[in-house]
Amino acid sequence: MIGKLRRGVFGGLAISLLATLMASAAPITPERLLATGDEPQNWLMGTGDYGAQRYSGLDALSAENAARVKLLFTVSLGPISVGEGFEHTKLSAPLVEDGMAYMVDPFGMVYRIDVTSGVNGHIMWTSPRLEQEMDPWLIGQWSLTLHGDSVILAAGDGRLFWIDRESGAVTHEAAVADPATGYVLAAPPVLVGDTLVIGGAGGDRGARPQLTGLDANDGAVKWRSFLTGDEFTAGASILRTGAYDAESGLVLWSTDGPASAYGETLRAGDNAANALLAVDPEDGTIAWQRPLLASDVLGFSDAATPVLLPDGGAVQAGDDGFVRRFDVTSGALDYAEPYVTGLDWYDERDADGAPISTGDAVSPPGCPNILAEDHMPASYSTRTNLFYAAQNNGCRTDLSAIGNLAGEDEGGLYAHSTTSTGALSAIDPANGAVMAEHLFDYPLQSGLLTTAGGLVVAMTADGSLHLLDDTTLDTLWSQHVSSFMAAPPMSYSVDGRQYIGMIVGGGPLYSDISFHSRDMAGVRHLAVFAVFGVEP
């Protein structure tokens, strides 16, 4: 059994430009991915490491110089969209190795960008546009995985593309499933050895929830594990990536809610919705499956990525306002505690302490949380031993019926939020206690990052980037960038100089729960790679 995973960090190793030109990038091997903590200058995985901690071991940026951080340069990505464009496109964090950044724009074009200079980014190559027209309700996600000498694009339409890292040439492609069945890829895959483990979405459109293992070299299907029976499930999609525990050999995934807007008559039982499960990446065997909500008619989603802890536990913050801790090997629930103040959607708990919804789809309580960590990746800091969760808080008071194009009621209701604000919580993962909290006037957007320099990086939906103290959550620095952030932040270093990078542009993930600013109207159709740091 492989030894326990290393805590990963992100960044981009700065070797000299001359060395970059003289030698090809080193292959990305399973050994390197297991030891990302040994390469704090590189950001080799979208989550930073296998444990999804999103923690950087770099400390050149800190509370002492945070006030001097500024936007250093940007690189435009893709064409300017028209109409609604990539309004709801989800993107994964950029990857960086040896001063070379890899990222995908909202149109499915992959870029290799030389960021070694620190003053600009030079596009080395751009792949062909690899998107495919889909049902506009099928919200997928573009994501990248480094493997060997390739960068693998997982496209929202269910296809994988292998791109040569040096030339940018597409060498081959493979299909995971057919979007005509409602299937989409909404979560980045997890690469374990030479197996890509991919979770499918589209359960609210009739797709059968599934996990698929593919050969990372040629895309051949190794195994496929379905999470439900053949019946229509109305939910249980996998919306976020998983976390791999090398000690147990298991990949942990969470599933989306049961799409309660359709009504309980269209889905029998729990059907793996709002559940945490562990899969063996070798053969697809489901080692255990744990329901997170005893019942739910409010449309909550506990699809957030579980974050692995050094002591063998896993912690997850759901958008129902609860943080939960589990045992990785058995799935046993250690606790379920509210991390959002004033929750009123539940009245009781089951024998394990999990909350039970007592409302109904006609008059849901659902206050004050409508979308917490689900779509905003959390972070765990090995510096503070605290777990950080983002919040987008609102009250589910605005109900609207689901109808077809003819105006006929299809049954069920959507629960929307009429107002929403943001909050950031620092949580003790040992017991779920909230140790510090920072309230924002606007919802948080995209996700979090923590660093060895004592920083928490967060973004709000008014188009602002924030650096906060990782203990007090006091603001150290903030800058308005006039656009939504389409992907979580990451960090890398070149020649010892640390940077924070992110993809900026696009629109809110969900129009009914995100702030809309007039000064962002002209920039929501352009995506750029933005790099922040301190001038030497």
Side-chain angles (χ1 to χ4, degrees), residues 90 132 134-141 154-159 176-187 198-205 207-210 237-239:
K90 296 195 298 178
Q132 175 176 298
M134 295 193 302
D135 185 319
W137 199 20
L138 297 178
I139 302 175
Q141 175 170 358
D157 59 16
R159 295 180 295 165
V176 183
D178 186 358
T181 65
Y183 181 92
V184 294
L185 293 181
I198 299 179
D204 55 347
R205 296 287 282 176
R208 190 178 175 190
Q210 62 184 271
S237 296
I238 293 178
L239 302 180

Side-chain angles (χ1 to χ4, degrees), residues 8 32 53 74 124 141 152 158 178 184 203 214 232 252 254 305 340 355 374 408 416 427 437 515 524 526 532-533:
R32 290 184 68 185
Q53 293 178 353
T74 63
M124 306 296 288
Q141 175 170 358
I152 303 173
D178 186 358
V184 294
L214 299 97
F232 178 58
L252 272 62
S254 298
T305 300
V340 175
D374 175 20
E408 300 167 331
H416 304 287
I427 301 168
E437 185 177 57
F515 175 77
R524 64 196 305 174
L526 174 68
F532 295 80

Side-chain angles (χ1 to χ4, degrees), residues 290-382:
R290 172 82 193 192
L292 301 180
L293 283 174
S295 62
D296 175 46
V297 294
L298 303 177
F300 285 131
S301 172
D302 280 319
T305 300
V307 177
L308 305 187
L309 303 171
D311 61 5
V315 64
Q316 183 224 41
D319 81 342
D320 57 2
F322 274 78
V323 59
R324 298 169 175 85
R325 178 189 166 102
F326 305 87
D327 179 81
V328 171
T329 57
S330 68
L333 177 67
D334 293 330
Y335 63 73
E337 295 295 336
Y339 70 100
V340 175
T341 304
L343 289 181
D344 71 355
W345 65 265
Y346 72 101
D347 290 328
E348 56 185 282
R349 301 195 187 204
D350 63 17
D352 292 328
I356 299 175
S357 171
T358 56
D360 57 67
V362 176
S363 57
C367 220
N369 192 272
I370 187 172
L371 185 69
E373 198 277 330
D374 175 20
H375 291 283
M376 295 167 285
S379 180
Y380 171 80
S381 170
T382 59

Side-chain angles (χ1 to χ4, degrees), residues 125-453:
W125 53 254
T126 304
S127 76
R129 184 170 175 171
L130 300 172
E131 72 166 352
Q132 175 176 298
E133 294 295 331
M134 295 193 302
D135 185 319
W137 199 20
L138 297 178
I139 302 175
Q141 175 170 358
W142 301 106
S143 64
L144 299 179
T145 301
L146 296 178
H147 174 64
D149 295 320
S150 299
V151 54
I152 303 173
L153 169 67
D157 59 16
R159 295 180 295 165
L160 299 175
F161 298 88
W162 279 255
I163 304 171
D164 183 82
R165 284 200 287 150
E166 291 299 317
S167 67
V170 178
T171 59
H172 57 287
E173 68 176 87
V176 183
D178 186 358
T181 65
Y183 181 92
V184 294
L185 293 181
V190 175
L191 175 63
V192 181
D194 64 352
T195 300
L196 280 171
V197 185
I198 299 179
D204 55 347
R205 296 287 282 176
R208 190 178 175 190
Q210 62 184 271
L211 286 165
T212 306
L214 299 97
D215 191 302
N217 298 301
D218 58 16
V221 175
K222 292 184 173 182
W223 52 261
R224 201 181 299 270
S225 295
F226 292 99
L227 308 183
T228 67
D230 294 329
E231 72 278 1
F232 178 58
T233 61
S237 296
I238 293 178
L239 302 180
R240 305 301 304 182
T241 191
Y244 172 59
D245 177 52
E247 185 170 291
S248 65
L250 297 175
V251 181
L252 272 62
W253 295 85
S254 298
T255 62
D256 191 21
S260 59
Y262 286 100
E264 293 181 282
T265 57
L266 295 182
R267 52 180 174 84
D270 290 328
N271 277 317
N274 276 334
L276 182 68
L277 57 91
V279 61
D280 185 334
E282 293 297 321
D283 57 13
T285 300
I286 304 297
W288 52 261
Q289 182 171 303
R290 172 82 193 192
L292 301 180
L293 283 174
S295 62
D296 175 46
V297 294
L298 303 177
F300 285 131
S301 172
D302 280 319
T305 300
V307 177
L308 305 187
L309 303 171
D311 61 5
V315 64
Q316 183 224 41
D319 81 342
D320 57 2
F322 274 78
V323 59
R324 298 169 175 85
R325 178 189 166 102
F326 305 87
D327 179 81
V328 171
T329 57
S330 68
L333 177 67
D334 293 330
Y335 63 73
E337 295 295 336
Y339 70 100
V340 175
T341 304
L343 289 181
D344 71 355
W345 65 265
Y346 72 101
D347 290 328
E348 56 185 282
R349 301 195 187 204
D350 63 17
D352 292 328
I356 299 175
S357 171
T358 56
D360 57 67
V362 176
S363 57
C367 220
N369 192 272
I370 187 172
L371 185 69
E373 198 277 330
D374 175 20
H375 291 283
M376 295 167 285
S379 180
Y380 171 80
S381 170
T382 59
R383 196 186 93 91
T384 62
N385 294 318
L386 293 176
F387 174 71
Y388 300 85
Q391 301 174 34
N392 183 346
N393 297 328
C395 296
R396 296 169 180 264
T397 56
D398 184 14
L399 303 179
S400 58
I402 299 175
N404 57 28
L405 294 178
E408 300 167 331
D409 187 356
E410 293 185 346
L413 298 168
Y414 280 124
H416 304 287
S417 173
T418 54
T419 60
S420 54
T421 58
L424 172 62
S425 300
I427 301 168
D428 184 347
N431 54 26
V434 176
M435 308 304 293
E437 185 177 57
H438 186 106
L439 302 179
F440 296 90
D441 291 333
Y442 307 106
L444 270 72
Q445 181 98 359
S446 297
L448 303 174
L449 174 70
T450 55
T451 77

